[in-house]
Amino acid sequence: MLDKNALKKAFPVILLTIVVAISVNLLSFADRLTRPQIEAQQQLKIQNLLTGMFPDMSRYDFKNDIYTIYSDGAKIGYAFIAVGKGYGGDIDILVGLEDDTTIKGISIVSHSETPGLGSRITESFFTNQFAGLSIDEVALKRDGGEVDAITGSTISSRAVINAVRETAMEKVKQLDGSE
Amino acid sequence: MGNFMKEFAKGLIITNPVFVLALGLCPTLAVTTSINNALGMTLAVLIVLLGANTIVAAIRNFVPSITRIPIFIVVIASLVTMVDLLFAANFPDLHEALGIFLPLVVVNCIILGRAEAFASKNPILHSVADALGITVGFMLALLMISSIRQTLGTGSLSVFGFHFFTLPILGKQPIAILVLPAGAFLVIGLLLALFRRTGVMKSD
């Protein structure tokens, strides 16, 4: 038999449990409500970046972390996400390949580099340098490559460049293996 | 109604959360790089603070004092998570710009501070007035800091894609340090000093 005193002592615990239970239910409801929208937003973002890179794209496939780009049924290229270790954290870069050796273009999907310095990796004067380069040309000019670093942001520049080159080599190997 | 206005008005200057209470400084320093971000953070704080103050005031009479803090935090964290999902679904750009500082509204001292110091002791209507006043005070502070940082730090002023002006010399050579973290401390420090010197805001 529960006496009144024990009930009084247990009340805070019971109340907290009820509050947490209500909160869990509300949150899973909110999650179910917003999930399709959030996924659609991410899909839309990738799609916009891909059409920016491959203006002729009519549709794309996503398999084994590689986007295969088609234009009217013909394969016109590949794209994938490369992850670089930047100054402020991971840099996600969408890399497009025209064929096994040539870069179609890159664009920065997300990053947390210093505003005004490293964050300039998103600007076109930097990313445009990659279009048309062959994969082994993707290196800083001072390292024998073809890419100019951003003044004052060598770490961020190098993080992007290395991630693009290394991931591209890896993906090309993967593509060669699968065909 | 007179009380409602009184509780609302005090948040603007007398208990301004940033310049007088000096609460919530972490998000204040972090998101005031542009006016867009400042307004986005204000919207998040408005929803969370209004919800938290209302719920806390509604349940204040039967929450035992030993579990009040965990209960307040559960309420606040649930609201913040919902706002986070809502922003991710509807304003993806803003969600990305606010980044980690959106989920961190959970530990924003303004919100727990108002729940504990005000809403847990006052009726719902007054708590709503308090939440609105504090949010407007927060917004004024963020707007002041972010307009200075954005204008001088980038050399031009634009809000939600609408371009206002580009400064003559600074447009080419902006004071970039103002949009870096150090600039936030400089601007907020100078503003605080100015308000104390002119006697607009006093802490006592």
Side-chain angles (χ1 to χ4, degrees):
Chain A
M1 276 282 274
L2 276 171
D3 60 78
K4 239 187 170 158
N5 224 345
L7 203 66
K8 212 172 176 182
K9 263 189 183 157
F11 177 67
V13 181
I14 297 166
L15 186 71
L16 189 54
T17 314
I18 295 171
V19 169
V20 171
I22 295 172
S23 145
V24 167
N25 278 301
L26 276 177
L27 286 183
S28 70
F29 176 70
D31 179 57
R32 233 174 311 150
L33 213 63
T34 50
R35 179 168 304 215
Q37 244 174 313
I38 294 174
E39 274 167 8
Q41 297 279 11
Q42 278 161 351
Q43 202 79 30
L44 193 70
K45 190 174 169 185
I46 292 285
Q47 182 155 2
N48 282 341
L49 289 174
L50 286 177
T51 20
M53 208 174 273
F54 298 94
D56 300 333
M57 180 177 85
S58 53
R59 64 179 189 88
Y60 68 88
D61 264 355
F62 183 61
K63 218 173 80 187
N64 299 333
D65 293 332
I66 296 182
Y67 298 90
T68 310
I69 318 293
Y70 296 93
S71 167
D72 297 328
K75 242 186 244 178
I76 55 166
Y78 305 97
F80 51 85
I81 301 281
V83 183
K85 289 266 170 262
Y87 189 71
D90 283 352
I91 307 174
D92 289 349
I93 312 146
L94 183 74
V95 185
L97 288 182
E98 229 168 76
D99 49 45
D100 282 1
T101 51
T102 320
I103 306 273
K104 175 78 180 172
I106 70 160
S107 69
I108 308 294
V109 182
S110 68
H111 72 92
S112 38
E113 301 305 283
T114 318
L117 291 169
S119 72
R120 298 178 72 204
I121 53 172
T122 59
E123 291 177 17
S124 53
F125 84 91
F126 180 69
T127 53
N128 283 350
Q129 298 184 77
F130 291 79
L133 293 187
S134 75
I135 293 168
D136 23 297
E137 283 171 340
V138 178
L140 285 185
K141 278 199 175 141
R142 72 171 81 143
D143 301 338
E146 287 294 327
V147 184
D148 281 319
I150 299 163
T151 317
S153 316
T154 318
I155 295 180
S156 309
S157 312
R158 207 172 247 147
V160 173
I161 289 163
N162 290 343
V164 170
R165 191 186 52 246
E166 282 158 20
T167 319
M169 285 176 168
E170 197 180 294
K171 295 291 177 190
V172 167
K173 239 182 242 164
Q174 190 184 327
L175 284 168
D176 284 347
S178 69
E179 273 163 22
Chain B
M1 210 57 215
N3 267 336
F4 187 88
M5 285 319 290
K6 207 182 94 202
E7 300 301 354
F8 172 76
K10 75 177 186 325
L12 306 192
I13 294 180
I14 307 171
T15 59
N16 186 288
V18 175
F19 292 128
V20 178
L21 303 180
L23 290 178
L25 288 182
C26 175
T28 304
L29 294 164
V31 304
T32 50
T33 49
S34 75
I35 292 182
N36 290 1
N37 293 354
L39 290 174
M41 179 52 91
T42 306
L43 180 64
V45 166
L46 173 70
I47 302 172
V48 175
L49 188 55
L50 206 54
N53 261 16
T54 310
I55 295 170
V56 167
I59 61 175
R60 71 184 190 283
N61 288 330
F62 55 89
V63 170
S65 70
I66 50 164
T67 42
R68 72 184 193 287
I69 299 286
I71 287 181
F72 295 169
I73 284 291
V74 171
V75 169
I76 295 168
S78 313
L79 287 166
V80 170
T81 312
M82 281 190 246
V83 169
D84 189 46
L85 291 172
L86 196 75
F87 276 30
N90 296 302
F91 321 111
D93 294 339
L94 183 63
H95 186 257
E96 203 162 290
L98 294 178
I100 186 69
F101 294 100
L102 195 51
L104 280 182
V105 171
V106 175
V107 287
N108 186 325
C109 327
I110 296 175
I111 305 197
L112 185 61
R114 294 330 285 174
E116 168 71 6
F118 195 91
S120 64
K121 303 181 186 105
N122 288 283
I124 295 178
L125 194 63
H126 289 178
S127 302
V128 167
D130 179 74
L132 292 175
I134 291 283
T135 309
V136 174
F138 185 63
M139 179 177 75
L140 289 177
L142 288 194
L143 281 181
M144 255 181 253
I145 301 165
S146 62
S147 52
I148 294 174
R149 290 182 68 194
Q150 190 184 352
T151 311
L152 301 179
T154 65
S156 63
L157 188 68
S158 51
V159 181
F160 295 119
F162 187 80
H163 190 77
F164 284 105
F165 57 81
T166 304
L167 292 173
I169 301 157
L170 288 173
K172 285 211 178 64
Q173 199 54 260
I175 315 171
I177 192 172
L178 288 183
V179 286
L180 298 180
F185 284 100
L186 290 173
V187 172
I188 201 171
L190 289 172
L191 280 175
L192 268 173
L194 181 74
F195 289 141
R196 291 292 155 84
R197 187 78 181 86
T198 53
V200 180
M201 290 172 186
K202 285 196 188 73
S203 63
D204 44 8

